[in-house]
Amino acid sequence: MRPTLLIVLQPILANHMAGLLADKDLNVVVHGRDSYAPPAIDYVLSFRPPPGLLKTLTKLKAVLSLGAGVDGFFADPEFPKHVPLVRFVDDTLSQEMAQYIVMHVLIHHRAQRMFDAAQRESKWRQILLPRRTEDTRVGILGLGEIGTVAAQHLRGLGFSVRGWSRSAKAVDGVKAFSGTEELDAFLAESDILVCVLPLTPDTRGILNAQTFAKVPKGAFVINVARGGHVIENDLIAAVDSGHLSGAALDVFQTEPLPETSPLWAHPKIAVTPHVAAISDPAAGVRSVLDSIARSERGEPLRNVVDMTRGY
Ligand code: NDP
Ligand code: OXD
């Protein structure tokens, strides 16, 4: 019998994914569009399902995430943790995330905002770079799929790269730190601090006043992970005090970022609307089909989330 996949995504994306999966060997139903009997659902494709929905699907074989981050599933207190949760891991996604990180490292490092301002005033303002590239230490919180790719690109551009992870890592040319006991030493060597951690109980709020106090004066912060990692008021205070030179943020405590947020107009903070990398639907389809095929053959799934660690 053909397995049944329930798609629980925003309507436009859900319909698009259903269209791409239409000619595959699957029954595809879209939550909110099609009627279905919950026990008939074998697989779910989602990103941030409505709390309580997944526990009603009593025969689920696997939950498939269309995103690399799976905090949206754990936001459901009734998420069925006995069902395997597969996260989206895709080379293109990792490369695009790395591009975003590299772009903001370079905009900061090359003082591009100052040149933009000078151009607006028709001013020929030649300056030396504030710091030599090899003397600029980029510290990446999270040396996983994405952090490792970003570290390699930054290394290739001549930066001095550090990384911090839970378990000890060896990445060529990267000074690696691990565990809470090495966090302070890592922060002390991060002139540019990049966050690409999963959002878990251990990492929520990790970018706070105490953390900012531990990075060198003038450090720049880039957050591409989740808004829940940053205490936004602490970030603004650290920038306004001059301890941090600025920040680039793609993710926020509340998304969409409210129009009233002081982040929008802050002269030293760049804001983008959670677009560092958007999962490619075609790659999502490949990942879904791979997971379902493996599951139906009784083979181990790839990229299964560890329910204890939360990522
Ligand atoms: P991975 O799971 O591959 O990597 C996570 C890294 O974080 C690992 O190195 C892990 O350590 C480390 N880590 C986790 N918890 C801790 C901890 N408590 N202390 C120290 N290190 C820790 O994730 P990805 O690289 O694929 O993705 C990272 C995040 O990026 C996603 O969870 C998502 O939130 C975000 N993202 C944002 C996007 C956007 O558009 N803005 C798009 C895609 C992803 P270890 O290696 O030891 O396990
Ligand atoms: C993701 C995201 O986690 O888009 O993939 O944020």
Side-chain angles (χ1 to χ4, degrees):
M1 218 170 64
R2 298 191 335 164
T4 298
L5 171 72
L6 174 67
I7 303 182
V8 186
L9 294 167
Q10 300 203 338
I12 293 175
L13 182 56
N15 289 333
H16 183 57
M17 293 300 293
L20 293 176
L21 286 159
D23 61 347
K24 311 297 179 204
D25 201 16
L26 276 179
N27 301 317
V28 178
V29 286
V30 173
H31 181 71
R33 183 192 77 179
D34 305 321
S35 57
Y36 60 90
I41 302 302
D42 299 298
Y43 301 95
V44 166
L45 173 64
S46 191
F47 183 58
R48 187 169 283 279
L53 174 70
L54 299 194
K55 77 148 195 228
T56 67
L57 310 176
T58 49
K59 298 277 170 53
L60 265 188
K61 297 179 188 167
V63 176
L64 313 176
S65 171
L66 190 57
V70 290
D71 47 290
F73 295 91
F74 291 114
D76 175 357
E78 297 180 289
F79 177 75
K81 289 194 176 165
H82 59 281
V83 180
L85 169 60
V86 176
R87 71 188 196 94
F88 183 57
V89 175
D90 175 55
D91 285 349
T92 303
L93 182 91
S94 299
Q95 291 293 353
E96 289 178 0
M97 288 291 283
Q99 285 170 11
Y100 183 97
I101 293 166
V102 169
M103 173 177 76
H104 281 289
V105 166
L106 290 178
I107 289 172
H108 169 69
H109 179 63
R110 303 292 309 231
Q112 185 58 40
R113 284 180 159 232
M114 190 280 286
F115 291 116
D116 289 341
Q119 181 178 0
R120 281 194 295 274
E121 293 170 20
S122 308
K123 288 278 191 301
W124 187 264
R125 199 170 286 154
Q126 284 185 324
I127 59 156
L128 274 178
L129 288 186
R131 198 195 285 264
R132 288 171 61 83
T133 308
E134 60 271 33
D135 298 333
T136 302
R137 301 162 299 178
V138 184
I140 303 178
L141 290 160
L143 261 191
E145 298 286 343
I146 296 166
T148 303
V149 176
Q152 285 161 342
H153 285 306
L154 290 163
R155 188 76 199 104
L157 287 168
F159 290 96
S160 177
V161 182
R162 277 97 177 105
W164 183 70
S165 50
R166 219 168 60 99
S167 54
K169 287 272 144 76
V171 179
D172 209 22
V174 174
K175 185 169 174 189
F177 296 79
S178 60
T180 42
E181 56 289 357
E182 290 184 9
L183 179 58
D184 287 2
F186 163 86
L187 292 171
E189 297 187 11
S190 296
D191 301 310
I192 299 176
L193 181 66
V194 178
C195 179
V196 64
L197 287 165
L199 184 63
T200 69
D202 289 337
T203 65
R204 183 175 288 280
I206 192 168
L207 299 176
N208 57 44
Q210 289 76 34
T211 308
F212 299 140
K214 290 172 185 162
V215 295
K217 184 166 167 50
F220 187 81
V221 171
I222 299 172
N223 185 26
V224 281
R226 286 291 183 264
H229 288 119
V230 185
I231 308 299
E232 289 172 357
N233 288 340
D234 289 2
L235 176 76
I236 292 171
V239 173
D240 288 346
S241 75
H243 185 69
L244 294 181
S245 55
L249 306 175
D250 186 53
V251 285
F252 303 91
Q253 282 168 9
T254 304
E255 294 184 9
L257 182 63
E259 283 181 14
T260 51
S261 169
L263 293 168
W264 281 115
H266 199 292
K268 293 184 176 169
I269 297 178
V271 166
T272 49
H274 200 144
V275 291
I278 293 177
S279 302
D280 171 36
V285 164
R286 287 195 294 277
S287 166
V288 165
L289 294 176
D290 174 71
S291 295
I292 293 179
R294 283 169 182 272
S295 170
E296 292 298 305
R297 290 195 300 261
E299 292 173 10
L301 300 177
R302 298 193 300 174
N303 307 313
V304 174
V305 170
D306 179 323
M307 295 292 172
T308 317
R309 293 186 321 189
Y311 69 96

